[in-house]
Amino acid sequence: MSSVADTINSMKSKFNASAAAGLDLVFQFNIEDGENYALIVKDGTCDVQQGDNANANVTLIMDSATLAGIASGETDGMQAFMGGKLRAEGDMMLAMKLAELFPV
């Protein structure tokens, strides 16, 4: 099992900069059994920040196994949400944008 940091960094490596042109968003990942991270997407760039970001547009709450499954493509994010393994607070539509910004 990889760490939360490894999973977040694998997402960053798949970042689709062209899909992020003109965006200024913060995706907060609150991991119930690990560290929290924020992905800051701004004008075609992506930065990783450990901990909590007070400016998060959407906060996704899950465990590390769910995060790893979604990041690898083994778990469908919508199914995880419907099954209660993933909760979202804030702008729910931005959660849908993750698949475009970080394609599997």
Side-chain angles (χ1 to χ4, degrees):
M1 183 67 182
S2 69
S3 73
V4 173
D6 292 339
T7 303
I8 293 289
N9 285 318
S10 79
M11 288 177 65
K12 184 180 177 189
S13 71
K14 298 173 188 171
F15 179 63
N16 178 1
S18 63
L23 294 181
D24 186 1
L25 303 170
V26 178
F27 295 93
Q28 177 70 44
F29 292 86
N30 288 356
I31 308 305
E32 296 166 325
D33 59 345
E35 314 90 31
N36 292 347
Y37 283 87
L39 288 172
I40 299 130
V41 175
K42 186 168 184 168
D43 293 327
T45 66
C46 177
D47 288 316
V48 174
Q49 171 193 342
Q50 188 170 1
D52 297 331
N53 187 307
N55 298 318
N57 299 93
V58 63
T59 300
L60 302 167
I61 305 151
M62 68 196 93
D63 63 21
S64 58
T66 302
L67 175 65
I70 291 171
S72 70
E74 293 173 26
T75 302
D76 179 72
M78 185 56 73
Q79 287 180 341
F81 180 78
M82 299 302 271
K85 293 183 178 210
L86 165 65
R87 296 190 323 273
E89 296 174 355
D91 190 337
M92 304 280 272
M93 295 311 290
L94 291 180
M96 308 294 263
K97 194 132 183 83
L98 278 172
E100 186 182 335
L101 292 169
F102 303 96
V104 179

